[in-house]
Amino acid sequence: MSSFLWALILFAKLIVHYHVKKYLEDDDWRFRVVGEPENSFIRTGIKGENGTFEITIMVSSDPPVVVFRIYDFAKIGNMALDKKGKLLDLINQYNHNNLFGKVYIDDDNELTFSYAIPLVGDTELDRESFIGVLYISTNFVDEMYPSIMKLVWS
């Protein structure tokens, strides 16, 4: 990749990152930026009915997307195989019903929710879409949480 193209991609990523920070600042969200500008991400929290969730927001240039992740929103630990099968069925059902986000079990037996917005061509991430995805992500996890934990604790 030429240095000009790399610089152009980095510039576009920094512009999106700037807008994400501005949207949060304009609505008085508490957040923190982690890392150096070219490789940083933003963390903010949001309270739902069933818990408070930390959302990590990352801007990627290859492919150009904004990713929202709620890491380890439920710790499932080591489950018996029959319970884990039921949990996998429940996760599959949630993933099937949600067109844009996905839930998965990570290597630490914790559930993570991920939602990505592709930035293709002239697509811009406007404030309303950004804030909407924050709430959609949180509402999705907040609605899932009780049924997942009921299964975990049973």
Side-chain angles (χ1 to χ4, degrees):
M1 177 183 314
S2 73
S3 58
F4 175 74
L5 183 57
W6 180 86
L8 190 60
I9 290 170
L10 178 60
F11 181 68
K13 178 179 175 179
L14 292 174
I15 288 173
V16 173
H17 193 270
Y18 165 80
H19 285 291
V20 167
K21 285 180 18 184
K22 180 152 178 36
Y23 298 151
L24 291 169
E25 288 168 349
D26 288 351
D27 283 358
D28 295 323
W29 285 69
R30 293 179 54 188
F31 67 93
R32 67 186 188 281
V33 178
V34 180
E36 298 300 317
E38 64 274 4
N39 291 316
S40 65
F41 54 91
I42 296 170
R43 286 205 169 131
T44 188
I46 188 167
K47 185 166 178 39
E49 290 183 25
N50 298 301
T52 300
F53 306 100
E54 184 176 70
I55 300 177
T56 300
I57 305 158
M58 299 164 281
V59 179
S60 171
S61 53
D62 188 23
V65 295
V66 178
V67 179
F68 299 77
R69 287 215 173 109
I70 302 176
Y71 291 103
D72 64 350
F73 70 87
K75 299 176 187 330
I76 60 171
N78 294 324
M79 302 176 81
L81 284 178
D82 61 326
K83 281 173 74 172
K84 193 160 194 174
K86 290 177 184 175
L87 177 63
L88 292 173
D89 287 342
L90 186 61
I91 291 170
N92 190 46
Q93 178 183 355
Y94 279 117
N95 284 336
H96 177 75
N97 293 333
N98 183 7
L99 298 177
F100 302 105
K102 64 183 173 189
V103 177
Y104 59 91
I105 301 173
D106 67 16
D107 293 337
D108 295 324
N109 282 327
E110 298 171 344
L111 295 180
T112 295
F113 175 79
S114 184
Y115 191 112
I117 299 177
L119 302 174
V120 183
D122 293 340
T123 303
E124 292 184 20
L125 180 64
D126 61 65
R127 183 193 167 284
E128 290 77 22
S129 297
F130 173 76
I131 298 298
V133 170
L134 283 175
Y135 284 107
I136 287 169
S137 299
T138 304
N139 289 340
F140 185 79
V141 169
D142 197 48
E143 288 176 15
M144 286 179 66
Y145 187 77
S147 57
I148 288 172
M149 294 317 295
K150 182 179 178 182
L151 182 62
V152 170
W153 293 328
S154 66

